[in-house]
Amino acid sequence: MTRAIKIFWKIFLIGFLVVVLLITLISFGLFGKMPSLAQLENPSITLASEVYGDDGTMLGKYYKEKGNRSFVQYKDISKHVVDALVATEDERFYDHSGIDGRSLARAIFFMGKEGGGSTITQQLALNMFDERAENKLARLLQKIKENIIAVKLERNFTKQEILALYLNTVSFSDNVYGIRNASRTFFSKEPDRLNVEEAAVLIGMLKATGTYNPRTNYKASFERRNTVLDQMARNKYLSDAKAAALKKDPIKLNYKKLNENNGIAPYFLDVIREELKKWCSEHKKQDGDNYDIYEDGLHVYTTINPRMQLYAEEAVAKHLPVLQRVLASQRSLKTDAVWKGHANVLEASMRNSDRWKSLKAEGLSEDEIRKSFRQKVRMKVFAWNSKREKDTIMSPLDSIKYHREMLQTAFMVTDPMTGHVKAWVGGIDFKNYKYDHVNLKTKRQVGSSIKPFLYSLAIEEYGFTPETMCEATQQYFPGSGYVPANPNPKVSGVRTMATGLAYSINEVAAYIIKQTTPKRFAEFLAQINIPTKVQPYPSISLGTCELSLYEMMWGYSMFPTGGVSIKPVCITRIEDKNGNVLARFDAERKEVISQATAYTMARMMQGAVDYGTAAGLRSRLGIAEMGGKTGTTNDNSDAWFFGYTPQLMAGVWIGCDDRFIRLEGGLGYGGAAARPIWEAFFAKAFQDKTLGLDRQARFVQPENMRNQYYDYLGPIEHTPPPGAEGEDVGNGGADAYLDKPDTQNIPTESKEAMEEQKVLQEATSTKNQISKDSALPADTKKKKGFFRRLFGKKEEN
């Protein structure tokens, strides 16, 4: 053996040993941590958590930027996708063991000009790294790692498993990750439903996601799809004739990318996100780490019904633009007079804006920043159109005013028997208005919508019945003052309790709380599960307290359920990525009033939707039985409507975030501003036969009331008493009743009225009822049959 040959073999062996040693050291992680087989097999470490509606429809996801993946098994991927991938990316995939020597040699010889040398397995290995190395040395080390991982993958997994892992981790156009997301985004279908040409479009993107995006670069994507079809024909996955025919067809996209702004029920998803974060912080996986909603691929099943959610959003979009035009036409808004005295609101909005913070960071003075807020620029603003935005030119300050002058809404629908939330609309547009007006933290004055709780207390504990006669006069509370704050001379005398509720007469509510006492009513609100602690002012009988729509719905649940308070339920169960149930959620139930009281209230509240403040609602919808109640606060700052049938319950709030911006005139009260949204939703819901709603459903009458009827339930006057509820109902604020008045200076006529009230209270205290013949004014002894019909008794001739 010559010296040269010895030197050659010596160099070769040393080189070989160095390579083996280098590979060994890399494999053991000396040059950076290597992914474990468990990590390679289970990409759920970066899987998005998915949220589903009650029919299995996916509502949305929670993910980090590169974690927006949805795992799908090989059997659930169209064969056309697999064929297109192998034909285009790795023709000899089924023959090699992770590294294709022929492709590698071609890549080295032609310097990559004739295509790369990486196999699908090697590309999968590369996808396991967080980022691609930049400099040549680091890239060389990463390439060696890829080859090591590729060999490990081929030894431990089947070809089908490798293909599934690859398709679940690869990136498509528009920052979409994984074949399932790509299929849903570009064609609105599951990956097992993809046809040949759709599969070719998606696989064609993999070469260059930006270049071959069919949404933004149709021509390039079309040509790339045809190249993929040619490759499929070349590798005998398609006939030449079939490929030629398909190449003539245009790309037919059905593009719908879900994100937090355009998904179903975005406000609801945002609320659920926080609930899930809390749940994850309290529950651990088998490895001891807490669950992570952004990485663990949880499947969250909610109570939302997508069809009802759609009807709820449609109802809002139908009615709010009408009210908005009315609001915008008001002189106070057109002349900017509404902002007089509220410069602090605009100042706070400017300072909290991104523009202010950005200009402040650039070193501009506050005077310079304020000046820039008055300079007109081109911008996009919210608008009631299909895109929910429009291009315009206005100053940033005017933009702040414009957006704050938008009417907001809250709309929630539940199944009263289960507590399941079926629809949740927290505002008019999640993209522009992230603040949720439904949830527990958002509180507004509730106005007359609180009165059914007060009436329930009076029936449950104080012997009141629908026909109990109540004073319809301003009530004086020693040490507090008058309720209502402003006297209404047009409402006087006595009214039945039923009439007081139907027409929302404030004076009747004031009379009732005087009998029950404010302290007991405040305690009762806590008893029926209203979370907010309400202070015992006499004015709470008119709804001066502030509560959220969520807790009002919680409170109203006792009426259709026969006295059982049911906390609204949003999530039914949570599963891990493999479908194992991690948690189930049941409704919190508590009996708070008797079944007889609940039934009496449900039937009595029909007065509001037949003849009262929401007159005609029941007949327009053609519903056999329902209950409802409007609510309005001072100056129409807040408008409410709650209504329910035996099967479904919903609540609506309308108002502006700034309470000094409000509707003027007759459109501002609950029956005109809030009720139409409720009605539009229920009209749609009852038309949808798939929802199983029955217009003829009736409330369950308690057994002990079956053979009993009210001999006299009092007249319902079909003409509303003036000022019962409408513009400026005079609720006032709780503070208006804190100061003790000077009783020595009460006008003589007021003292006389107080004495008359005292005598009347004493006369009615034994039975809380006055004889119909002696107590009723002559003009109210008409149309006595309403509540007879309501409770099923035939009216006498």
Side-chain angles (χ1 to χ4, degrees), residues 611 709-716 718 772 781-797:
Y611 300 104
Y709 62 86
Y710 290 92
D711 180 58
Y712 176 70
L713 297 178
I716 287 289
H718 292 201
K772 63 178 181 179
K781 295 181 179 180
K782 301 174 182 178
K783 301 176 182 176
K784 300 178 182 179
F786 172 73
F787 270 96
R788 289 196 181 98
R789 294 192 301 274
L790 210 57
F791 282 84
K793 181 186 176 184
K794 293 184 179 179
E795 186 175 356
E796 298 175 0
N797 294 328

PDB file of all heavy atoms in Angstrom, residues 611 709-716 718 772 781-797:
ATOM      1  N   TYR A 611    -101.402  44.734  26.710  1.00  0.00           N
ATOM      2  CA  TYR A 611    -102.029  46.058  26.749  1.00  0.00           C
ATOM      3  C   TYR A 611    -101.132  47.144  27.321  1.00  0.00           C
ATOM      4  O   TYR A 611    -101.487  48.310  27.259  1.00  0.00           O
ATOM      5  CB  TYR A 611    -103.315  45.987  27.592  1.00  0.00           C
ATOM      6  CG  TYR A 611    -104.331  45.026  27.054  1.00  0.00           C
ATOM      7  CD1 TYR A 611    -104.525  43.791  27.656  1.00  0.00           C
ATOM      8  CD2 TYR A 611    -105.087  45.352  25.931  1.00  0.00           C
ATOM      9  CE1 TYR A 611    -105.459  42.896  27.154  1.00  0.00           C
ATOM     10  CE2 TYR A 611    -106.030  44.466  25.429  1.00  0.00           C
ATOM     11  CZ  TYR A 611    -106.212  43.237  26.038  1.00  0.00           C
ATOM     12  OH  TYR A 611    -107.130  42.367  25.541  1.00  0.00           O
ATOM     13  N   TYR A 709    -109.452  29.850  41.076  1.00  0.00           N
ATOM     14  CA  TYR A 709    -109.345  31.004  40.200  1.00  0.00           C
ATOM     15  C   TYR A 709    -109.611  32.253  41.015  1.00  0.00           C
ATOM     16  O   TYR A 709    -110.212  32.215  42.084  1.00  0.00           O
ATOM     17  CB  TYR A 709    -110.323  30.917  39.025  1.00  0.00           C
ATOM     18  CG  TYR A 709    -111.772  30.882  39.420  1.00  0.00           C
ATOM     19  CD1 TYR A 709    -112.483  32.066  39.635  1.00  0.00           C
ATOM     20  CD2 TYR A 709    -112.434  29.663  39.578  1.00  0.00           C
ATOM     21  CE1 TYR A 709    -113.821  32.029  39.995  1.00  0.00           C
ATOM     22  CE2 TYR A 709    -113.762  29.631  39.937  1.00  0.00           C
ATOM     23  CZ  TYR A 709    -114.449  30.798  40.147  1.00  0.00           C
ATOM     24  OH  TYR A 709    -115.758  30.770  40.491  1.00  0.00           O
ATOM     25  N   TYR A 710    -109.104  33.321  40.495  1.00  0.00           N
ATOM     26  CA  TYR A 710    -109.312  34.589  41.170  1.00  0.00           C
ATOM     27  C   TYR A 710    -110.693  35.109  40.821  1.00  0.00           C
ATOM     28  O   TYR A 710    -111.022  35.281  39.636  1.00  0.00           O
ATOM     29  CB  TYR A 710    -108.244  35.601  40.748  1.00  0.00           C
ATOM     30  CG  TYR A 710    -106.869  35.277  41.263  1.00  0.00           C
ATOM     31  CD1 TYR A 710    -105.991  34.517  40.499  1.00  0.00           C
ATOM     32  CD2 TYR A 710    -106.454  35.730  42.506  1.00  0.00           C
ATOM     33  CE1 TYR A 710    -104.731  34.212  40.961  1.00  0.00           C
ATOM     34  CE2 TYR A 710    -105.188  35.424  42.984  1.00  0.00           C
ATOM     35  CZ  TYR A 710    -104.327  34.669  42.208  1.00  0.00           C
ATOM     36  OH  TYR A 710    -103.085  34.373  42.683  1.00  0.00           O
ATOM     37  N   ASP A 711    -111.491  35.351  41.837  1.00  0.00           N
ATOM     38  CA  ASP A 711    -112.844  35.860  41.591  1.00  0.00           C
ATOM     39  C   ASP A 711    -112.778  37.222  40.911  1.00  0.00           C
ATOM     40  O   ASP A 711    -113.605  37.544  40.069  1.00  0.00           O
ATOM     41  CB  ASP A 711    -113.608  35.951  42.914  1.00  0.00           C
ATOM     42  CG  ASP A 711    -115.017  36.482  42.688  1.00  0.00           C
ATOM     43  OD1 ASP A 711    -115.763  35.855  41.916  1.00  0.00           O
ATOM     44  OD2 ASP A 711    -115.348  37.530  43.280  1.00  0.00           O
ATOM     45  N   TYR A 712    -111.768  38.010  41.298  1.00  0.00           N
ATOM     46  CA  TYR A 712    -111.633  39.319  40.660  1.00  0.00           C
ATOM     47  C   TYR A 712    -110.159  39.676  40.603  1.00  0.00           C
ATOM     48  O   TYR A 712    -109.479  39.720  41.613  1.00  0.00           O
ATOM     49  CB  TYR A 712    -112.386  40.392  41.448  1.00  0.00           C
ATOM     50  CG  TYR A 712    -112.184  41.758  40.848  1.00  0.00           C
ATOM     51  CD1 TYR A 712    -112.748  42.073  39.630  1.00  0.00           C
ATOM     52  CD2 TYR A 712    -111.387  42.702  41.483  1.00  0.00           C
ATOM     53  CE1 TYR A 712    -112.539  43.307  39.062  1.00  0.00           C
ATOM     54  CE2 TYR A 712    -111.178  43.942  40.917  1.00  0.00           C
ATOM     55  CZ  TYR A 712    -111.756  44.242  39.703  1.00  0.00           C
ATOM     56  OH  TYR A 712    -111.541  45.461  39.148  1.00  0.00           O
ATOM     57  N   LEU A 713    -109.635  39.846  39.420  1.00  0.00           N
ATOM     58  CA  LEU A 713    -108.218  40.140  39.247  1.00  0.00           C
ATOM     59  C   LEU A 713    -107.985  41.581  38.868  1.00  0.00           C
ATOM     60  O   LEU A 713    -106.877  41.961  38.539  1.00  0.00           O
ATOM     61  CB  LEU A 713    -107.620  39.200  38.194  1.00  0.00           C
ATOM     62  CG  LEU A 713    -107.669  37.727  38.599  1.00  0.00           C
ATOM     63  CD1 LEU A 713    -107.106  36.859  37.493  1.00  0.00           C
ATOM     64  CD2 LEU A 713    -106.909  37.507  39.884  1.00  0.00           C
ATOM     65  N   GLY A 714    -109.004  42.376  38.900  1.00  0.00           N
ATOM     66  CA  GLY A 714    -108.803  43.803  38.699  1.00  0.00           C
ATOM     67  C   GLY A 714    -108.846  44.197  37.241  1.00  0.00           C
ATOM     68  O   GLY A 714    -108.545  43.422  36.349  1.00  0.00           O
ATOM     69  N   PRO A 715    -109.231  45.406  36.976  1.00  0.00           N
ATOM     70  CA  PRO A 715    -109.334  45.872  35.593  1.00  0.00           C
ATOM     71  C   PRO A 715    -107.975  46.276  35.033  1.00  0.00           C
ATOM     72  O   PRO A 715    -107.119  46.759  35.741  1.00  0.00           O
ATOM     73  CB  PRO A 715    -110.237  47.104  35.712  1.00  0.00           C
ATOM     74  CG  PRO A 715    -109.911  47.637  37.064  1.00  0.00           C
ATOM     75  CD  PRO A 715    -109.636  46.452  37.939  1.00  0.00           C
ATOM     76  N   ILE A 716    -107.793  46.021  33.774  1.00  0.00           N
ATOM     77  CA  ILE A 716    -106.656  46.568  33.041  1.00  0.00           C
ATOM     78  C   ILE A 716    -107.201  47.660  32.141  1.00  0.00           C
ATOM     79  O   ILE A 716    -108.008  47.410  31.248  1.00  0.00           O
ATOM     80  CB  ILE A 716    -105.979  45.491  32.180  1.00  0.00           C
ATOM     81  CG1 ILE A 716    -105.187  44.515  33.068  1.00  0.00           C
ATOM     82  CG2 ILE A 716    -105.023  46.133  31.182  1.00  0.00           C
ATOM     83  CD1 ILE A 716    -103.940  45.101  33.667  1.00  0.00           C
ATOM     84  N   HIS A 718    -107.122  49.889  29.129  1.00  0.00           N
ATOM     85  CA  HIS A 718    -106.446  49.742  27.845  1.00  0.00           C
ATOM     86  C   HIS A 718    -105.835  51.037  27.353  1.00  0.00           C
ATOM     87  O   HIS A 718    -105.227  51.072  26.297  1.00  0.00           O
ATOM     88  CB  HIS A 718    -107.414  49.161  26.810  1.00  0.00           C
ATOM     89  CG  HIS A 718    -107.785  47.746  27.122  1.00  0.00           C
ATOM     90  ND1 HIS A 718    -108.283  46.884  26.166  1.00  0.00           N
ATOM     91  CD2 HIS A 718    -107.702  47.028  28.282  1.00  0.00           C
ATOM     92  CE1 HIS A 718    -108.521  45.705  26.732  1.00  0.00           C
ATOM     93  NE2 HIS A 718    -108.179  45.774  28.011  1.00  0.00           N
ATOM     94  N   LYS A 772    -113.711  45.874  45.423  1.00  0.00           N
ATOM     95  CA  LYS A 772    -113.768  46.425  44.072  1.00  0.00           C
ATOM     96  C   LYS A 772    -114.867  47.487  43.936  1.00  0.00           C
ATOM     97  O   LYS A 772    -114.726  48.418  43.157  1.00  0.00           O
ATOM     98  CB  LYS A 772    -114.011  45.307  43.055  1.00  0.00           C
ATOM     99  CG  LYS A 772    -115.344  44.583  43.221  1.00  0.00           C
ATOM    100  CD  LYS A 772    -115.506  43.537  42.147  1.00  0.00           C
ATOM    101  CE  LYS A 772    -116.854  42.835  42.285  1.00  0.00           C
ATOM    102  NZ  LYS A 772    -117.045  41.824  41.248  1.00  0.00           N
ATOM    103  N   LYS A 781    -113.995  51.287  36.363  1.00  0.00           N
ATOM    104  CA  LYS A 781    -114.807  50.080  36.473  1.00  0.00           C
ATOM    105  C   LYS A 781    -115.188  49.567  35.089  1.00  0.00           C
ATOM    106  O   LYS A 781    -116.346  49.330  34.787  1.00  0.00           O
ATOM    107  CB  LYS A 781    -116.071  50.369  37.291  1.00  0.00           C
ATOM    108  CG  LYS A 781    -115.768  50.724  38.745  1.00  0.00           C
ATOM    109  CD  LYS A 781    -117.053  50.977  39.502  1.00  0.00           C
ATOM    110  CE  LYS A 781    -116.775  51.318  40.951  1.00  0.00           C
ATOM    111  NZ  LYS A 781    -118.013  51.576  41.702  1.00  0.00           N
ATOM    112  N   LYS A 782    -114.167  49.435  34.224  1.00  0.00           N
ATOM    113  CA  LYS A 782    -114.406  49.025  32.854  1.00  0.00           C
ATOM    114  C   LYS A 782    -113.449  47.887  32.500  1.00  0.00           C
ATOM    115  O   LYS A 782    -112.358  47.787  33.041  1.00  0.00           O
ATOM    116  CB  LYS A 782    -114.159  50.190  31.880  1.00  0.00           C
ATOM    117  CG  LYS A 782    -115.035  51.408  32.150  1.00  0.00           C
ATOM    118  CD  LYS A 782    -114.625  52.539  31.235  1.00  0.00           C
ATOM    119  CE  LYS A 782    -115.453  53.800  31.506  1.00  0.00           C
ATOM    120  NZ  LYS A 782    -115.046  54.924  30.656  1.00  0.00           N
ATOM    121  N   LYS A 783    -113.847  47.077  31.560  1.00  0.00           N
ATOM    122  CA  LYS A 783    -112.989  46.054  30.990  1.00  0.00           C
ATOM    123  C   LYS A 783    -112.308  45.230  32.078  1.00  0.00           C
ATOM    124  O   LYS A 783    -111.096  45.214  32.215  1.00  0.00           O
ATOM    125  CB  LYS A 783    -111.941  46.696  30.070  1.00  0.00           C
ATOM    126  CG  LYS A 783    -112.598  47.466  28.937  1.00  0.00           C
ATOM    127  CD  LYS A 783    -111.595  48.177  28.069  1.00  0.00           C
ATOM    128  CE  LYS A 783    -112.268  48.958  26.984  1.00  0.00           C
ATOM    129  NZ  LYS A 783    -111.359  49.733  26.175  1.00  0.00           N
ATOM    130  N   LYS A 784    -113.123  44.548  32.867  1.00  0.00           N
ATOM    131  CA  LYS A 784    -112.599  43.809  34.003  1.00  0.00           C
ATOM    132  C   LYS A 784    -112.089  42.414  33.615  1.00  0.00           C
ATOM    133  O   LYS A 784    -111.557  41.713  34.452  1.00  0.00           O
ATOM    134  CB  LYS A 784    -113.704  43.645  35.053  1.00  0.00           C
ATOM    135  CG  LYS A 784    -114.254  44.956  35.579  1.00  0.00           C
ATOM    136  CD  LYS A 784    -115.369  44.693  36.563  1.00  0.00           C
ATOM    137  CE  LYS A 784    -115.972  45.994  37.080  1.00  0.00           C
ATOM    138  NZ  LYS A 784    -117.074  45.738  38.021  1.00  0.00           N
ATOM    139  N   GLY A 785    -112.291  41.998  32.374  1.00  0.00           N
ATOM    140  CA  GLY A 785    -112.090  40.588  32.050  1.00  0.00           C
ATOM    141  C   GLY A 785    -110.686  40.156  31.695  1.00  0.00           C
ATOM    142  O   GLY A 785    -110.453  38.980  31.481  1.00  0.00           O
ATOM    143  N   PHE A 786    -109.732  41.076  31.625  1.00  0.00           N
ATOM    144  CA  PHE A 786    -108.401  40.689  31.130  1.00  0.00           C
ATOM    145  C   PHE A 786    -107.768  39.579  31.951  1.00  0.00           C
ATOM    146  O   PHE A 786    -107.337  38.551  31.436  1.00  0.00           O
ATOM    147  CB  PHE A 786    -107.475  41.906  31.090  1.00  0.00           C
ATOM    148  CG  PHE A 786    -106.060  41.538  30.767  1.00  0.00           C
ATOM    149  CD1 PHE A 786    -105.724  41.154  29.483  1.00  0.00           C
ATOM    150  CD2 PHE A 786    -105.081  41.550  31.744  1.00  0.00           C
ATOM    151  CE1 PHE A 786    -104.433  40.809  29.181  1.00  0.00           C
ATOM    152  CE2 PHE A 786    -103.792  41.192  31.438  1.00  0.00           C
ATOM    153  CZ  PHE A 786    -103.469  40.830  30.157  1.00  0.00           C
ATOM    154  N   PHE A 787    -107.702  39.765  33.275  1.00  0.00           N
ATOM    155  CA  PHE A 787    -107.040  38.751  34.076  1.00  0.00           C
ATOM    156  C   PHE A 787    -107.900  37.512  34.292  1.00  0.00           C
ATOM    157  O   PHE A 787    -107.386  36.451  34.601  1.00  0.00           O
ATOM    158  CB  PHE A 787    -106.579  39.336  35.415  1.00  0.00           C
ATOM    159  CG  PHE A 787    -105.198  39.893  35.294  1.00  0.00           C
ATOM    160  CD1 PHE A 787    -104.996  41.240  35.059  1.00  0.00           C
ATOM    161  CD2 PHE A 787    -104.096  39.067  35.366  1.00  0.00           C
ATOM    162  CE1 PHE A 787    -103.729  41.741  34.917  1.00  0.00           C
ATOM    163  CE2 PHE A 787    -102.810  39.569  35.224  1.00  0.00           C
ATOM    164  CZ  PHE A 787    -102.630  40.915  34.998  1.00  0.00           C
ATOM    165  N   ARG A 788    -109.216  37.644  34.131  1.00  0.00           N
ATOM    166  CA  ARG A 788    -110.023  36.426  34.110  1.00  0.00           C
ATOM    167  C   ARG A 788    -109.584  35.560  32.931  1.00  0.00           C
ATOM    168  O   ARG A 788    -109.412  34.356  33.044  1.00  0.00           O
ATOM    169  CB  ARG A 788    -111.511  36.779  33.994  1.00  0.00           C
ATOM    170  CG  ARG A 788    -112.111  37.399  35.269  1.00  0.00           C
ATOM    171  CD  ARG A 788    -113.645  37.327  35.178  1.00  0.00           C
ATOM    172  NE  ARG A 788    -114.266  37.916  36.331  1.00  0.00           N
ATOM    173  CZ  ARG A 788    -114.741  39.146  36.371  1.00  0.00           C
ATOM    174  NH1 ARG A 788    -114.632  39.921  35.324  1.00  0.00           N
ATOM    175  NH2 ARG A 788    -115.320  39.611  37.465  1.00  0.00           N
ATOM    176  N   ARG A 789    -109.426  36.212  31.761  1.00  0.00           N
ATOM    177  CA  ARG A 789    -108.970  35.463  30.586  1.00  0.00           C
ATOM    178  C   ARG A 789    -107.555  34.962  30.791  1.00  0.00           C
ATOM    179  O   ARG A 789    -107.188  33.867  30.384  1.00  0.00           O
ATOM    180  CB  ARG A 789    -109.035  36.359  29.339  1.00  0.00           C
ATOM    181  CG  ARG A 789    -110.441  36.757  28.922  1.00  0.00           C
ATOM    182  CD  ARG A 789    -110.444  37.377  27.540  1.00  0.00           C
ATOM    183  NE  ARG A 789    -109.602  38.569  27.446  1.00  0.00           N
ATOM    184  CZ  ARG A 789    -110.029  39.786  27.759  1.00  0.00           C
ATOM    185  NH1 ARG A 789    -111.264  39.971  28.183  1.00  0.00           N
ATOM    186  NH2 ARG A 789    -109.222  40.813  27.637  1.00  0.00           N
ATOM    187  N   LEU A 790    -106.729  35.793  31.442  1.00  0.00           N
ATOM    188  CA  LEU A 790    -105.334  35.444  31.655  1.00  0.00           C
ATOM    189  C   LEU A 790    -105.193  34.170  32.457  1.00  0.00           C
ATOM    190  O   LEU A 790    -104.345  33.319  32.196  1.00  0.00           O
ATOM    191  CB  LEU A 790    -104.643  36.604  32.391  1.00  0.00           C
ATOM    192  CG  LEU A 790    -103.156  36.836  32.128  1.00  0.00           C
ATOM    193  CD1 LEU A 790    -102.913  37.041  30.654  1.00  0.00           C
ATOM    194  CD2 LEU A 790    -102.692  38.048  32.903  1.00  0.00           C
ATOM    195  N   PHE A 791    -106.025  34.007  33.487  1.00  0.00           N
ATOM    196  CA  PHE A 791    -105.948  32.836  34.350  1.00  0.00           C
ATOM    197  C   PHE A 791    -106.939  31.741  33.963  1.00  0.00           C
ATOM    198  O   PHE A 791    -107.131  30.786  34.688  1.00  0.00           O
ATOM    199  CB  PHE A 791    -106.165  33.242  35.811  1.00  0.00           C
ATOM    200  CG  PHE A 791    -104.944  33.861  36.404  1.00  0.00           C
ATOM    201  CD1 PHE A 791    -104.683  35.205  36.229  1.00  0.00           C
ATOM    202  CD2 PHE A 791    -104.036  33.093  37.113  1.00  0.00           C
ATOM    203  CE1 PHE A 791    -103.556  35.782  36.774  1.00  0.00           C
ATOM    204  CE2 PHE A 791    -102.901  33.673  37.651  1.00  0.00           C
ATOM    205  CZ  PHE A 791    -102.648  35.005  37.494  1.00  0.00           C
ATOM    206  N   GLY A 792    -107.605  31.934  32.858  1.00  0.00           N
ATOM    207  CA  GLY A 792    -108.411  30.850  32.336  1.00  0.00           C
ATOM    208  C   GLY A 792    -109.882  30.881  32.709  1.00  0.00           C
ATOM    209  O   GLY A 792    -110.638  29.982  32.364  1.00  0.00           O
ATOM    210  N   LYS A 793    -110.321  31.904  33.438  1.00  0.00           N
ATOM    211  CA  LYS A 793    -111.739  31.972  33.799  1.00  0.00           C
ATOM    212  C   LYS A 793    -112.503  32.704  32.710  1.00  0.00           C
ATOM    213  O   LYS A 793    -112.088  33.749  32.237  1.00  0.00           O
ATOM    214  CB  LYS A 793    -111.915  32.704  35.124  1.00  0.00           C
ATOM    215  CG  LYS A 793    -113.394  32.767  35.548  1.00  0.00           C
ATOM    216  CD  LYS A 793    -113.581  33.618  36.776  1.00  0.00           C
ATOM    217  CE  LYS A 793    -115.050  33.725  37.107  1.00  0.00           C
ATOM    218  NZ  LYS A 793    -115.307  34.613  38.236  1.00  0.00           N
ATOM    219  N   LYS A 794    -113.661  32.161  32.331  1.00  0.00           N
ATOM    220  CA  LYS A 794    -114.488  32.821  31.329  1.00  0.00           C
ATOM    221  C   LYS A 794    -115.138  34.061  31.938  1.00  0.00           C
ATOM    222  O   LYS A 794    -115.606  34.048  33.067  1.00  0.00           O
ATOM    223  CB  LYS A 794    -115.566  31.868  30.824  1.00  0.00           C
ATOM    224  CG  LYS A 794    -114.994  30.700  30.025  1.00  0.00           C
ATOM    225  CD  LYS A 794    -116.104  29.843  29.472  1.00  0.00           C
ATOM    226  CE  LYS A 794    -115.528  28.700  28.657  1.00  0.00           C
ATOM    227  NZ  LYS A 794    -116.590  27.820  28.115  1.00  0.00           N
ATOM    228  N   GLU A 795    -115.149  35.114  31.152  1.00  0.00           N
ATOM    229  CA  GLU A 795    -115.732  36.357  31.637  1.00  0.00           C
ATOM    230  C   GLU A 795    -117.246  36.250  31.700  1.00  0.00           C
ATOM    231  O   GLU A 795    -117.902  35.712  30.805  1.00  0.00           O
ATOM    232  CB  GLU A 795    -115.335  37.505  30.705  1.00  0.00           C
ATOM    233  CG  GLU A 795    -115.780  38.856  31.209  1.00  0.00           C
ATOM    234  CD  GLU A 795    -115.257  39.966  30.329  1.00  0.00           C
ATOM    235  OE1 GLU A 795    -114.519  39.675  29.403  1.00  0.00           O
ATOM    236  OE2 GLU A 795    -115.598  41.130  30.587  1.00  0.00           O
ATOM    237  N   GLU A 796    -117.789  36.757  32.811  1.00  0.00           N
ATOM    238  CA  GLU A 796    -119.236  36.712  32.981  1.00  0.00           C
ATOM    239  C   GLU A 796    -119.881  37.819  32.169  1.00  0.00           C
ATOM    240  O   GLU A 796    -119.318  38.889  31.967  1.00  0.00           O
ATOM    241  CB  GLU A 796    -119.569  36.893  34.465  1.00  0.00           C
ATOM    242  CG  GLU A 796    -118.991  35.779  35.342  1.00  0.00           C
ATOM    243  CD  GLU A 796    -119.236  36.048  36.813  1.00  0.00           C
ATOM    244  OE1 GLU A 796    -119.849  37.076  37.116  1.00  0.00           O
ATOM    245  OE2 GLU A 796    -118.798  35.245  37.638  1.00  0.00           O
ATOM    246  N   ASN A 797    -121.086  37.569  31.735  1.00  0.00           N
ATOM    247  CA  ASN A 797    -121.832  38.575  30.980  1.00  0.00           C
ATOM    248  C   ASN A 797    -122.344  39.660  31.909  1.00  0.00           C
ATOM    249  O   ASN A 797    -122.686  39.405  33.028  1.00  0.00           O
ATOM    250  CB  ASN A 797    -123.019  37.918  30.272  1.00  0.00           C
ATOM    251  CG  ASN A 797    -122.551  36.955  29.200  1.00  0.00           C
ATOM    252  OD1 ASN A 797    -121.508  37.187  28.601  1.00  0.00           O
ATOM    253  ND2 ASN A 797    -123.296  35.883  28.961  1.00  0.00           N
TER     254      ASN A 797
END
